[in-house]
Amino acid sequence: MKTFINSIYGWADARLGLEELSHFARKKTVPEHAHSFWYYWGGLSLFFFLVQAFTGILLLLYYRPGPEAFESVRQITYEMHFGWLIRSTHSWAANLMVFAVFVHMFSVFFMKAYRSPREFGWWSGLVLLMVVMVFGFSGYLLPMNELAYFATKVGLEIPASTPIIGPKIAELVRGGLEVNEVTVQRFFALHVVVLPAVFAVLLGFHLWLVQKHGNALPPSEEAKPAQERKTVPFFPNFLMKDLAVWLVALNILAVLAAVFPWELGQPADALKPAPQGIHPEWYFMSQFQVLKVLGDWMPGAVGEIAGILLFNVCLVLWFLVPLYDTSRESGRRARRVTWLGLVALIALIITTIWGYAVL
Ligand code: HEM
């Protein structure tokens, strides 16, 4: 049996160069130190994405965009065998994925892994984060229930307040002046075709960069002499640990999806008044609250325009971090950027909690 397997391997190796691949996998190492825990979060984001792709394809078998959107999700939830579990897993994993991506972003930020030569890792990661958020926003509308309908309506009114181009952009995204089944059709195309394609290309680039440059060392490790630094082989040591973390994540996901099944609510009705406490998903809550406060301070659309300006400035600054904090020394710029990150993180948490507190 062993010689048979060996001869198949030899045959495939001669044609595919498997030996080079396994040599490469054995050569790759991952640093091991007090902050290694944070290296798992990129892989966790990837794990949740794989869950999304798998459960999303299953949902696609029965979901029908357009006027029957709500009815098809009702059937998935109440009539299909285990449909509720697949839908619940998809919704929970979406939220856990956004959470994992945020943790990953802040951990690479505080480990200063955006510094040369990893700038493109930072930039491609940021675009991935944006794609993930649009995934969430577009997916939220697909069941066309009351909450999703009004949250999307309110959400799209924000870019619509941008002078000159805003109303046109909102109209293009909605497919008209109102959120309706045309909007669902557009969001569906975005959610299952455009975003997965863009995401796959970006992710390929992001992971290729990690392969090329290896994992960054946090400044505290970099300060140590080379002979005091420890590494473990990626294959099989780190991969096994990665898989163990994925197993824990799968268990958490299974418990959440089964014990707290995702609700469906009432079908959207444009003629009904918006229910009390309409709010976006938690990862948009911070921006939602800032816009609400600015809107209360400034009259008319001025508050919203100021908010949009503020978000764009913050985003540009966040993008430019690798070009500002370039030195390996822990100089003034490095400290300033660490403070910027701390302020950003605390502001995000506080405004999110604040948003929920005043709903
Ligand atoms: C869907 C989103 C994402 C996925 C699936 C993903 C996946 C990964 C994986 C598997 C790694 C290697 C393991 C690790 O260091 O954690 C990694 C590294 C990295 N990621 Fe991401 N990532 C995502 C989003 C982001 C975001 C939002 C940022 C920052 C804006 C980012 C920046 C980086 C950087 C700079 C590295 C290199 C870290 C190092 O060298 O230690 N990634 N990513």
Side-chain angles (χ1 to χ4, degrees):
M1 186 65 181
K2 214 168 168 192
T3 33
F4 177 64
I5 293 176
N6 280 347
S7 63
I8 292 190
Y9 181 82
W11 182 86
D13 181 33
R15 283 149 187 87
L16 302 172
L18 298 180
E19 214 28 58
E20 282 164 41
L21 214 72
S22 86
H23 179 71
F24 170 77
R26 276 197 299 267
K27 228 176 60 188
K28 181 179 160 58
T29 57
V30 177
E32 200 174 51
H33 47 74
H35 309 289
S36 295
F37 169 74
W38 303 108
Y39 290 141
Y40 294 114
W41 288 88
L44 265 178
S45 311
L46 181 63
F47 167 72
F48 287 123
F49 176 69
L50 296 177
V51 173
Q52 286 311 86
F54 176 67
T55 51
I57 290 170
L58 290 179
L59 289 172
L60 205 53
L61 300 179
Y62 292 103
Y63 177 76
R64 299 188 295 280
E68 281 193 78
F70 181 86
E71 174 55 17
S72 66
V73 180
R74 194 198 60 72
Q75 285 172 359
I76 291 172
T77 313
Y78 298 111
E79 289 171 17
M80 309 296 169
H81 289 305
F82 293 107
W84 67 273
L85 187 60
I86 300 298
R87 177 170 170 252
S88 190
T89 306
H90 194 74
S91 306
W92 273 109
N95 283 279
L96 293 177
M97 179 174 174
V98 178
F99 179 74
V101 176
F102 268 104
V103 175
H104 174 53
M105 178 177 74
F106 277 103
S107 59
V108 295
F109 177 88
F110 289 116
M111 287 213 261
K112 304 225 173 262
Y114 50 75
R115 281 178 178 167
S116 169
R118 296 183 178 77
E119 295 92 334
F120 281 100
W122 178 254
W123 293 324
S124 57
L126 266 184
V127 184
L128 276 171
L129 171 69
M130 287 186 230
V131 174
V132 168
M133 291 178 80
V134 183
F135 253 125
F137 186 71
S138 55
Y140 197 47
L141 177 71
L142 296 186
M144 217 25 184
N145 54 17
E146 209 173 34
L147 202 67
Y149 169 78
F150 284 105
T152 307
K153 200 170 139 90
V154 174
L156 288 178
E157 275 161 16
I158 297 165
S161 62
T162 311
I164 310 166
I165 49 167
K168 280 284 153 221
I169 291 179
E171 210 178 305
L172 186 75
V173 175
R174 279 190 298 248
L177 294 175
E178 293 297 329
V179 171
N180 54 28
E181 53 267 16
V182 179
T183 325
V184 175
Q185 185 73 42
R186 282 180 187 207
F187 277 36
F188 177 67
L190 200 65
H191 196 78
V192 306
V193 180
V194 182
L195 295 177
V198 173
F199 189 89
V201 173
L202 278 168
L203 184 63
F205 179 57
H206 194 71
L207 296 181
W208 172 72
L209 288 172
V210 178
Q211 287 308 316
K212 191 169 165 54
H213 300 302
N215 282 93
L217 284 173
S220 58
E221 279 300 301
E222 242 180 17
K224 288 186 185 165
Q227 64 274 19
E228 280 181 31
R229 296 180 201 152
K230 284 194 217 143
T231 56
V232 288
F234 176 78
F235 186 80
N237 305 44
F238 191 77
L239 184 66
M240 287 302 152
K241 289 188 189 179
D242 238 348
L243 291 180
V245 172
W246 287 21
L247 197 60
V248 173
L250 182 65
N251 277 281
I252 295 174
L253 176 61
V255 169
L256 287 171
V259 179
F260 306 103
W262 210 258
E263 304 220 337
L264 179 58
Q266 297 301 314
D269 184 347
L271 300 176
K272 269 199 200 162
Q276 272 287 305
I278 278 296
H279 63 87
E281 294 274 70
W282 61 270
Y283 41 89
F284 288 114
M285 192 51 137
S286 166
Q287 295 96 306
F288 182 67
Q289 181 57 20
V290 170
L291 284 173
K292 225 159 71 176
V293 172
L294 290 176
D296 288 346
W297 283 352
M298 300 176 209
V302 183
E304 277 183 359
I305 295 169
I308 292 172
L309 251 165
L310 177 74
F311 299 149
N312 282 311
V313 169
C314 292
L315 195 64
V316 170
L317 288 180
W318 203 236
F319 250 95
L320 295 180
V321 160
L323 300 183
Y324 179 74
D325 178 13
T326 49
S327 161
R328 298 251 158 246
E329 317 296 310
S330 60
R332 202 187 302 159
R333 285 187 173 203
R335 278 196 300 275
R336 264 191 210 146
V337 168
T338 305
W339 276 109
L340 171 84
L342 270 176
V343 170
L345 180 60
I346 294 171
L348 263 180
I349 295 174
I350 290 182
T351 46
T352 303
I353 297 175
W354 187 10
Y356 279 102
V358 297
L359 269 184

